[in-house]
Amino acid sequence: MDKDSAVLQGAFLLANKLCLPSSLSSIQKADWIRVGHPVAEAVREICGQDQLGGRPNTKACYWKKKIVCVVWLKLLCRETREDVERGWRENPFFPLQNGLPEVSHAVLLELVKSTAAADIFAHFLLCLPQSQVCTELERLTQHVRSSPMREDDIQLFLDVWWEMWKGRDDQKGGEGDSIEAMFANQVSHLSCKSSSLSPQAAKRLKLDTSDELASSPTTDILYILLRALEDMKGHISSADLCLQALSISLDSLYTSFLIDQEVKLPTKEKMYILSKVVSIRENKEEKLSPELIQEAQRDLRASHSPSQFQPSRMKLGEALKIITELAQFWLNSGLLTLYDSSVPGYFAFKLQQSLQRVLTALHEAEEPQSMIEMPVQEKEKNILRGLLESLAFPALENSPAVNVEVTTVIISHCLEDYQNFAVLFARERSWASYNELWLDCLEKNQAAFQQHNTLIELASTVMSKLQSESSNVSQCRKLIKVIVDIFSALSVEDQNKSLAAMLRLSSRGFFKCSLPSAVTDGFEQELNMAFNCIIQGGGGTSAIASQASLNTAASLVARVAFQNPKAALRSCCHSAIFNKGAFSLIAKILQQLPGLRGQRGRKNATQSKDEERTKAEENINGEVAVSGSSLICRCLQEMLKTKSLSASEREQFIKFLGLLMMPTITAEGEELLQSFLLPQEVVNTFVIPNLAIMGHSSFDIELSMQLLHAAVCVDVQDRACSRHWVLDCSPFPLLYILAQLHNQALRSWEQPAEGAAHHWSMDSKELLVSVLTTLGQLVGAEVAAAPNSWSRALFWLYNKIEELDWTVRFHLKPVWGQHFKNEVPSSLLTVCDLPEQEWSGLDLPQYGQGTGLLAWMECCTISDSLKSTMLSCLSLDQRQVEHVSMFSKGLLVALTQVFPCCSISQWSRLLGTLRELITSSRLHVPFSLEYVDYLPLLDLRRFSCELRLSVLLLRVLQLLCGSSCSHWLSADSWAHIGRLYAHAVREMMNSVRAKLPLPASGSTPPKTPAFRDSDPSCTSVKASKTSRDSPLKSNESQVEDEVETVPSQEVLFVLSQLFCHVQHIQVMMPGGQCEPLFLSSLEILSHYKAIMATFPDSSSPLESDNTRHFFSTITDNLENQEMKAVLQQKIAQLVSSAG
């Protein structure tokens, strides 16, 4: 047994001796004064308190609770006659409890009173079943009313009552809770029905059935308490006790009858009430402490929460009548008269609030929609109103200093509702003037402010403070550091919410006002250091950073962005564009920080169709107002205005924006998140302003086209939205501007008119067509969904397009739908059978008689669908030889005109058209053996199309290089023609490769038989079908059996023809130094060599020697010596390996 237990047992034994000839088990209240002082002294010694009524420490609380528990269990064990053997095994308090003498209930209650343990007694009461609670309360009231009845007895009664109403204090834990749990457990063991209860239920024993509770009047706790108070009214002689009793009674009535759920008070109102309580108590020489505020908070919560003791017998009217009679009695006795004082007492203040709550609730309960039955007489309410008027003391002014102190204590000690008080602390700007106290609270309690809403309130207050008091460098730095540290501790989700909120406050964050240069310089250093770490750590050359590094980089950017969003985004833009390869990393970082996107300019999905059409049809001249652009777009705009971008920087700029427009995917790979930049933001910010003025520089237009292409190719359509984002970009004016630009680009090689904005390259033209087509499809889909709704915009656009070249309209065919016919030059209708209900002719001066095939071929280049239509509707009678001959000659002339102006995609369609015409025998191209001396004995039928197409292109180039056309095209035009012809050669090479694919490495190729009668004089690339080693007498059937299905000799022949055609054309072309044709020649020779190596018998040594000689002779005509040397070196490698 420990010392404290021994002291306690000794005190009780001494008190028991003092009772002689009686004992502690039989003494009454009056006897305690004579025998109780040894116990009181022992408790004082054990608890270490000079005064038992003082505020106890942890040890004192523990021992007071333990002493009350042991004494109470001693009583219960005697009443239930607990078995000693069982108690020894199961009762944890048995050693101490068994050493005490038997005691009476008077001893327990006097011990509770003398040790100021009413709260402990009440908490133990709450561990009992309600029927037993009522029994114990009856004992308490009997003890209080017994003689001698003093005010400290009534005080004990009121304290126990109110502590029961407040309930258990959840913020006080530790050993005290374990004692309550053990007490409840022992009570359950002592109960005759304990076997039917779970351990969890032991804390709140509900041994009585609901029927028993309802039928027994003694189970109504409020009834017991109010009736007991009614009996005691004549023994109360102090105003404070009267005020306290009325306050507790009214609060009990309010929480039992007038509310059914907790009344949530605004945090600011709570703070005002708590501050008034503190001011009142400080006036009574109580010091501000966490315990004082905690008790005031418990009082406040108990006054606004439904009581756990719902009345079973007493009604509202009866309870109200008892209370008003008590009030009237004490009023008549003069006990409720307040003395003249500027500061009321605590209980007067509490009563005033209780009266206000009850009267308000009674008034609201009288309203028809109220669910509370109101058998309340006007007399009772008048008494309460009169009492409230008598408490009309001067209004208490809330001192800002006390408000700050109270809130600081709540936050610092994490008292009830401290997080909401942290929001209030952050929001109240006037409190920031208490510099030291305010800043000290922030520094020491950062965790309390680590919520998104709290942080933003704090940021707003700090901005206001910096704006008014920014001269103190140290304080500015400390303030910003504290708030940024709080931000850094938030979750990623809350950080993004905070970044978005900061953007709404100010795009320059804390630096929107003028701060000392030392503070600004410090931030600039932090900003530069952050981005240096990011670039050096993975943004320079690494394409993919690890997730951990990416998270670290995002945290660094978020930290500086919270301080100054604009500066951080400006650095992001600069790093992404001017640091090679960094655009990818910076884009990934920004995608992790969607809070920096700011507010979207996108309209709500519920925007009416009329608003959509109005937006789409407005500003028909392209003068589209750009509004709501994001901060990053503005940063990029500023950068473009101040710096000229190189080609690589421009490429990084486009890729950077392209990545930002891509929607991101969550780590789980399931949810598709919104992109950092919406496509319409990019289009409205960087494209439309440049296109609207038709661009003053080629850079502007080409950059705009590339960005527009990137935007329309990104699939970020919001499925929840019924409209496409392109409708936010004035789509019809935009289509018209693009059509105008396409119209300018049609005659690519004509010199631009004086004052023209831009000379289009073929690459730019290709990009423009792609953008125009894609945008037309997107707008067309919206029009098709509601065709009648867009008629005004459609007619406006069509009327505008009529001013442009007729081919432009076909790119907008998805927009027109079935609204308009296809309009083409009338001459086209003479060579093509097109249905009149869908097609109509235009009388165009540049398309006179004989230009039908020119228009037909231009249609074939526009789109694949239009090419198919032209081929299927071509009017040509193949049975008439003259018709086919005239068609072939006319098509050659038309091809010569169209060919130079084609882009790569148009040229690909045209090549497909020519292949179709050749294979269907509608286009006659005679193949002459210009590069061989004798007819080769080969089966070239499967290569007929390639050979004829090559000859056709040779004829076209011969016409273009002839004297009549030699001055038609510029040097750039000839360079483009060289690229187009090289493209055609590659297609023909691919076709040849497909017909004789080379075997995979390591596999054995099929053998190609060699034939005799191989005469090298026949052809330089002659490939005879007679084996050199075969006897001449081999019959014809044997030769046919030996014919190999692998056409290696035929392929060599075709390659030789292609090489000759390419060399012929390169020599003819002005300058003779076309690099694409030179590369095509090298490719042909490389494939020729590969065929010879794979199929050794395809060429004899003599034949290969002739081939080398002939190729070298043709190559000698080249003017460029370097090209000639490389080709001849390649030709020299064409050596046969046949045995």
Side-chain angles (χ1 to χ4, degrees), residues 6-17:
V7 170
L8 184 64
Q9 286 185 354
F12 270 92
L13 291 173
L14 179 57
N16 196 43
K17 285 182 181 180

Side-chain angles (χ1 to χ4, degrees), residues 364-589:
E364 291 174 354
E366 290 176 348
E367 297 176 0
Q369 65 270 27
S370 173
M371 302 298 292
I372 302 175
E373 296 182 8
M374 281 300 301
V376 179
Q377 300 297 323
E378 195 65 29
K379 176 184 175 182
E380 283 84 3
K381 287 189 283 186
N382 288 335
I383 293 173
L384 295 181
R385 292 190 191 103
L387 179 58
L388 181 61
E389 289 174 4
S390 70
L391 295 174
F393 42 75
L396 290 172
E397 294 296 331
N398 281 86
S399 165
V402 175
N403 293 341
V404 176
E405 289 178 4
V406 168
T407 307
T408 300
V409 170
I410 293 173
I411 294 170
S412 300
H413 294 84
C414 297
L415 300 183
E416 179 184 332
D417 210 20
Y418 75 95
Q419 290 184 330
N420 285 331
F421 276 90
V423 176
L424 178 65
F425 184 90
R427 182 185 297 143
E428 291 296 321
R429 298 187 179 185
S430 60
W431 293 0
S433 60
Y434 297 89
N435 291 329
E436 294 302 323
L437 178 62
W438 191 79
L439 187 53
D440 185 66
C441 180
L442 285 181
E443 282 187 299
K444 293 180 179 178
N445 303 286
Q446 293 187 21
F449 297 90
Q450 288 171 7
Q451 287 82 35
H452 156 64
N453 294 332
T454 311
L455 179 63
I456 293 309
E457 295 287 356
L458 186 59
S460 179
T461 301
V462 169
M463 284 183 187
S464 177
K465 183 174 178 62
L466 291 175
Q467 197 164 3
S468 59
E469 308 171 22
S470 61
S471 58
N472 190 325
V473 174
S474 175
Q475 190 180 72
C476 287
R477 283 177 171 169
K478 191 180 291 186
L479 267 176
I480 294 175
K481 182 183 183 305
V482 168
I483 196 169
V484 173
D485 286 343
I486 293 172
F487 169 82
S488 298
L490 296 179
S491 65
V492 174
E493 182 181 359
D494 281 346
Q495 282 188 356
N496 277 305
K497 290 179 182 177
S498 301
L499 287 173
M502 177 60 82
L503 273 178
R504 290 192 291 271
L505 289 176
S506 170
S507 64
R508 295 185 60 214
F510 299 117
F511 294 86
K512 71 174 185 178
C513 55
S514 178
L515 295 180
S517 58
V519 178
T520 306
D521 293 344
F523 171 74
E524 289 295 334
Q525 290 177 3
E526 182 181 358
L527 183 68
N528 293 334
M529 187 178 298
F531 278 91
N532 286 338
C533 291
I534 290 170
I535 299 304
Q536 293 171 7
T541 57
S542 175
I544 302 175
S546 68
Q547 189 61 41
S549 299
L550 185 60
N551 292 340
T552 302
S555 299
L556 288 174
V557 174
R559 185 178 175 91
V560 293
F562 186 71
Q563 298 174 66
N564 189 336
K566 187 173 184 178
L569 284 175
R570 190 186 291 124
S571 295
C572 284
C573 297
H574 187 277
S575 299
I577 294 169
F578 296 105
N579 288 280
K580 187 176 180 180
F583 67 91
S584 177
L585 176 61
I586 299 297
K588 288 177 184 177
I589 291 171

